[in-house]
Amino acid sequence: MLFRSGDRPAPTPGDRDIWYLVLDRFGSVRSVEAYAGATPALPAWMDAHGFEVAHDARASYVKTALSLGSTLNLMQLDELAARMGPDSGDEEPFTELVRDHAVGRFLRDRGYRLIQLPSWFVPTARSAIADEVLTPSIGSDFDRLLHDTTILALWDDLFVPPIGHDDAQHRDFARFQLRMLERLRTAPHAEPRFVFAHILLPHPPYVFDETGAYPGDAERLDPDPIRYARQMRWTEAQVEALVGRILDVPEAERPIVIVAADEGPYPVRYQADMSGFDWTQATDEELAIKFGTLLGIYLPMDGEPHVTDRMTTANIFRLVFDRAFGAGLPLLPDRSWVSRDAPHPYDLIDITDALDRIDAGG
């Protein structure tokens, strides 16, 4: 449904902004080391800046829309899977879970304004609940001024033509999102805000090297894991700078900041055959790569519960809402599921025990 401005109650005094930054396919340290042979720096940076970090966090589901649908609705998807049946390939139900979600409805009832920065990925491209959905097509004079008068303008000079349509779209969305997040950071506002950004980084295509330049001809021929590591480094630098500025305010004004992923990188065999890959035949390394995710939460208030090392994405907002609002939402068991294959997203197999065994070195 669409909401009218009059539907929102007055804000609750003391409520803080909430920033939810989803870095698509940003794996845990173990995941990225196994996939790309590189150690991500962002988890240690978050540790050093007051975040509670789940160092062995796991995705709840194998597919972005399932994972985000679960996270944004504070639930696991057993009932939906049972209702749809294992042979269904209908993606609309979990797409709708992303477009009209319990997190947004809960926050609107507390007087929050909902701002969404979607990717070009269909489930997040539109919203039935956000007050604003900011995309490159709605660029403003302020946005252009910000671009032309900051370091962002240098990226255009580093741009190496020719560039394909998909690469250009990927770059444009990422650069726009970073500019808009910076704009939102300083924009005056009377209501607390929920800022949800689905950022397709370090997700391919690999259109940034470590410096933010478009990769040269030779770099574009490198294997995917090498290009992933380069794009991850640039992503980390942008996120660290942005989040550092977001938190560089008096303690009483600091927001809640969630920096997380929906899933880890795509293993090589899966990337080569996404529609035909059978996850029941995945190797231990493939499961570890795909399900290890980035997850850190900055909570400027004391209390319980705390982030645990193996926390799953389904529990993010249960934990946040309990700490921030005393919502009384018990944490769900930290479980993870694969879909049998892409055509059968509701044919779910619980792989938690397998992941535990892998983590234990068994």
Side-chain angles (χ1 to χ4, degrees), residues 65 91-100 122-124 126 346:
E91 298 188 1
E92 189 61 24
F94 51 81
T95 296
E96 286 305 310
L97 287 177
V98 177
R99 291 179 173 166
D100 184 357
V122 171
T124 64
R126 294 191 293 109
Y346 303 101

Side-chain angles (χ1 to χ4, degrees), residues 159-359:
F159 199 90
V160 180
I163 180 170
H165 174 269
D166 289 347
D167 281 10
Q169 176 179 252
H170 205 72
R171 280 181 65 92
D172 287 348
F173 259 91
R175 293 160 69 196
F176 174 84
Q177 288 174 317
L178 291 168
R179 294 198 300 270
M180 292 304 292
L181 287 167
E182 178 63 22
R183 175 185 177 181
L184 290 168
R185 182 183 71 83
T186 59
H189 55 284
E191 309 139 315
R193 302 170 302 176
F194 174 59
V195 179
F196 167 36
H198 179 217
I199 303 171
L200 288 178
L201 294 174
H203 184 297
Y206 301 113
V207 296
F208 298 100
D209 68 10
E210 301 95 324
T211 70
Y214 184 63
D217 291 343
E219 290 177 304
R220 294 200 296 275
L221 295 176
D222 284 331
D224 276 16
I226 293 175
R227 293 187 290 160
Y228 174 97
R230 291 187 187 122
Q231 187 151 285
M232 178 189 72
R233 293 298 184 211
W234 184 79
T235 302
E236 289 181 314
Q238 307 315 303
V239 173
E240 289 172 13
L242 171 70
V243 175
R245 290 190 294 268
I246 289 172
L247 296 178
D248 188 19
V249 294
E251 187 173 352
E253 300 173 18
R254 287 178 192 159
I256 296 165
V257 182
I258 305 158
V259 180
D262 54 328
E263 56 183 336
Y266 278 14
V268 173
R269 284 200 308 144
Y270 179 56
Q271 181 73 37
D273 184 18
M274 287 183 283
S275 62
F277 188 84
D278 183 349
W279 278 102
T280 66
Q281 303 302 311
T283 66
D284 285 357
E285 182 177 71
E286 287 167 336
L287 291 175
I289 289 170
K290 187 64 170 64
F291 277 83
T293 63
L294 179 75
L295 175 53
I297 306 176
Y298 183 87
L299 285 158
M301 67 281 295
D302 296 327
E304 299 282 346
H306 288 284
V307 172
T308 58
D309 264 352
R310 292 183 180 178
M311 183 173 158
T312 51
T313 51
N315 274 317
I316 289 174
F317 285 99
R318 284 178 168 264
L319 186 151
V320 168
F321 286 175
D322 208 42
R323 283 276 288 275
F325 309 124
L329 296 168
L331 297 183
L332 299 167
D334 285 316
R335 312 294 297 180
S336 297
W337 289 265
V338 291
S339 302
R340 172 164 46 105
D341 53 29
H344 300 91
Y346 303 101
D347 189 357
L348 298 175
I349 300 100
D350 190 327
I351 59 164
T352 309
D353 292 344
L355 292 174
D356 288 344
R357 174 181 53 76
I358 294 165
D359 281 354

Side-chain angles (χ1 to χ4, degrees), residues 1-265:
M1 63 177 293
L2 294 176
F3 289 82
R4 301 180 303 276
S5 58
D7 294 326
R8 186 177 14 252
T12 303
D15 278 357
R16 300 174 186 252
D17 283 1
I18 301 173
W19 296 69
Y20 178 36
L21 309 180
V22 178
L23 305 179
D24 204 301
R25 299 195 201 173
F26 200 125
S28 65
V29 170
R30 290 187 186 187
S31 167
V32 175
E33 287 180 343
Y35 176 67
T39 301
L42 189 52
W45 184 92
M46 289 193 292
D47 268 331
H49 287 79
F51 281 73
E52 296 182 26
V53 181
H55 288 282
D56 292 311
R58 297 171 181 171
S60 296
Y61 295 92
V62 75
K63 190 178 181 70
T64 296
L66 287 168
S67 180
L68 287 179
S70 167
T71 302
L72 289 167
N73 289 279
L74 306 93
M75 69 181 189
Q76 293 162 340
L77 303 179
D78 311 61
E79 292 184 10
L80 174 62
R83 185 171 76 249
M84 299 302 296
D87 294 327
S88 174
D90 183 4
E91 298 188 1
E92 189 61 24
F94 51 81
T95 296
E96 286 305 310
L97 287 177
V98 177
R99 291 179 173 166
D100 184 357
H101 47 80
V103 165
R105 283 183 262 114
F106 177 91
L107 292 173
R108 286 193 67 101
D109 285 345
R110 292 188 67 90
Y112 273 75
R113 184 168 186 82
L114 310 185
I115 302 171
Q116 184 161 318
L117 283 87
S119 67
W120 46 259
F121 178 61
V122 171
T124 64
R126 294 191 293 109
S127 175
I129 194 169
D131 296 289
E132 297 179 74
V133 178
L134 306 177
T135 67
S137 62
I138 56 90
S140 65
D141 290 340
F142 180 95
D143 181 45
R144 286 189 292 275
L145 177 63
L146 180 65
H147 173 268
D148 292 342
T149 58
T150 66
I151 191 67
L152 297 167
L154 294 179
W155 292 346
D156 285 338
D157 298 331
L158 294 170
F159 199 90
V160 180
I163 180 170
H165 174 269
D166 289 347
D167 281 10
Q169 176 179 252
H170 205 72
R171 280 181 65 92
D172 287 348
F173 259 91
R175 293 160 69 196
F176 174 84
Q177 288 174 317
L178 291 168
R179 294 198 300 270
M180 292 304 292
L181 287 167
E182 178 63 22
R183 175 185 177 181
L184 290 168
R185 182 183 71 83
T186 59
H189 55 284
E191 309 139 315
R193 302 170 302 176
F194 174 59
V195 179
F196 167 36
H198 179 217
I199 303 171
L200 288 178
L201 294 174
H203 184 297
Y206 301 113
V207 296
F208 298 100
D209 68 10
E210 301 95 324
T211 70
Y214 184 63
D217 291 343
E219 290 177 304
R220 294 200 296 275
L221 295 176
D222 284 331
D224 276 16
I226 293 175
R227 293 187 290 160
Y228 174 97
R230 291 187 187 122
Q231 187 151 285
M232 178 189 72
R233 293 298 184 211
W234 184 79
T235 302
E236 289 181 314
Q238 307 315 303
V239 173
E240 289 172 13
L242 171 70
V243 175
R245 290 190 294 268
I246 289 172
L247 296 178
D248 188 19
V249 294
E251 187 173 352
E253 300 173 18
R254 287 178 192 159
I256 296 165
V257 182
I258 305 158
V259 180
D262 54 328
E263 56 183 336

